[in-house]
Amino acid sequence: QQDSLELYPVSLRIKRSGTCPDREAPDRTGTQIQGFSDKSRRNLRFAAMNAFPALISQFGLTYHDHWPTDGREAKKHLNAWLVALRRLIPDAKYLWLLEFQKRNAPHFHVFLTVPPDEQTRLKLAEAWCRLTSPHDPQALKFHQHSRNWIDWQMHSAGYLCKYLNKEVQKSIPEGYTGFGRFWGKTRGLAALLCSFPLSDLDSLDDVDKETGEIHEGQTTMIRWLGRLDEKQTRGYPRFRKRAPQGSYTILQGAKAYTQIERYLNQRPLKRLESHTN
């Protein structure tokens, strides 16, 4: 395998081959997820920011007077509702998030790639209430309200920070079991735009005619992306330390990459090979 660079709608990843030795997967038989792990946070942030098509609306799924304390039952409700969603909107993609309200009721946010629609909202509300509150007109009224399916830009950093910081709502209450993952998504929602060998960056090798400074394509790209990462991580230079030897991700690096590539390609520089001949 070759070292490669992957570009997504918002993020950038450098993947180094051979940097992660083969390890035996840990045996987690009989264990249960008890909280929202750091790894799950990172994966959620990446998937949400790189969703394609973009997630543009949010539908809320709330329990009214009674709710399950067994996560397997709650997930059955969610999965059955998602089946109804796919039947009503076959082209829709989604990302769902689990929270626990202050009253300890499980609550799902479902972010969609389609805009709110009144007739579909009424049908989706009916589908959820048939599963969870079949004889509760107040629950149906709540879910059919226009404010229960709203426009939303999930890729914005503001909401992600707000959600990821709400620790109290991402701990499983005492006595609750079987809730498993805190989020999930449609397969392929985080779109890979392109992937190419890192060695392709060597074609950007150039020399500044005025200063004589050598810009080695791969080294220069990583150095300049590292400066961007330091700004995004408030001065912690993780990317420049790790990217030359290991795999690494810049959450908002794709736009910067294209700007750097355009700059190196378009300015009036001599090619490195011409300079050295």
Side-chain angles (χ1 to χ4, degrees):
Q1 291 184 348
Q2 291 181 306
D3 296 345
S4 62
L5 188 147
E6 296 180 348
L7 287 177
Y8 294 81
V10 177
S11 300
L12 171 150
R13 275 180 172 166
I14 286 181
K15 300 185 72 173
R16 300 281 184 181
S17 61
T19 56
C20 297
D22 293 335
R23 296 174 181 170
E24 185 177 348
D27 183 5
R28 294 192 174 93
T29 304
T31 62
Q32 293 189 25
I33 296 174
Q34 295 298 327
F36 196 27
S37 69
D38 289 340
K39 182 178 180 180
S40 185
R41 291 169 187 270
R42 292 193 297 269
N43 290 339
L44 165 62
R45 188 182 290 112
F46 182 87
M49 295 186 73
N50 293 285
F52 186 83
L55 299 164
I56 59 174
S57 68
Q58 177 191 183
F59 198 103
L61 301 175
T62 302
Y63 289 94
H64 194 204
D65 291 333
H66 306 283
W67 56 86
T69 59
D70 184 347
R72 289 167 293 189
E73 184 178 352
K75 293 294 179 63
K76 284 182 180 179
H77 293 158
L78 173 64
N79 290 334
W81 184 84
L82 291 173
V83 170
L85 167 69
R86 292 191 292 268
R87 184 175 63 249
L88 290 169
I89 320 174
D91 296 333
K93 293 186 178 182
Y94 54 82
L95 183 153
W96 61 263
L97 307 175
L98 166 66
E99 290 183 341
F100 290 92
Q101 298 174 320
K102 291 182 179 179
R103 59 196 179 117
N104 285 347
H107 173 75
F108 296 102
H109 300 273
V110 183
F111 294 87
L112 300 159
T113 57
V114 294
D117 172 78
E118 182 177 2
Q119 293 302 316
T120 307
R121 183 185 72 245
L122 299 179
K123 294 178 181 178
L124 289 174
E126 290 174 358
W128 177 253
C129 291
R130 270 198 311 272
L131 295 164
T132 62
S133 307
H135 307 297
D136 189 341
Q138 290 300 316
L140 180 60
K141 180 179 179 181
F142 174 85
H143 284 89
Q144 287 186 332
H145 197 284
S146 60
R147 287 180 295 184
N148 197 51
W149 191 7
I150 59 175
D151 294 319
W152 199 277
Q153 295 297 319
M154 183 61 183
H155 64 262
S156 67
Y159 177 76
L160 286 174
C161 292
K162 178 181 176 182
Y163 174 78
L164 293 172
N165 288 335
K166 289 196 290 184
E167 286 294 340
V168 68
Q169 293 179 280
K170 290 179 292 300
S171 297
I172 297 176
E174 186 176 353
Y176 286 48
T177 60
F179 273 88
R181 295 182 302 158
F182 276 76
W183 70 278
K185 66 180 181 68
T186 311
R187 181 177 298 179
L189 187 61
L192 174 62
L193 298 183
C194 67
S195 176
F196 54 86
L198 271 177
S199 58
D200 285 4
L201 295 175
D202 294 338
S203 65
L204 299 176
D205 288 354
D206 280 299
V207 174
D208 190 315
K209 290 192 299 184
E210 296 182 0
T211 66
E213 180 183 3
I214 298 175
H215 293 277
E216 296 179 353
Q218 189 173 154
T219 302
T220 300
M221 181 67 71
I222 290 176
R223 183 172 69 248
W224 290 358
L225 287 172
R227 293 172 184 169
L228 167 69
D229 187 56
E230 288 179 19
K231 292 181 180 179
Q232 293 183 5
T233 58
R234 299 184 180 181
Y236 185 51
R238 296 177 298 179
F239 182 80
R240 278 199 281 178
K241 285 184 177 180
R242 291 172 53 181
Q245 294 84 31
S247 301
Y248 198 75
T249 298
I250 296 185
L251 277 175
Q252 299 183 64
K255 183 177 180 181
Y257 168 82
T258 56
Q259 291 174 338
I260 295 171
E261 183 185 49
R262 187 180 304 118
Y263 173 74
L264 291 175
N265 273 328
Q266 291 186 356
R267 61 186 181 154
L269 301 175
K270 277 178 150 187
R271 301 300 301 166
L272 179 59
E273 56 270 21
S274 300
H275 179 81
T276 55
N277 286 339

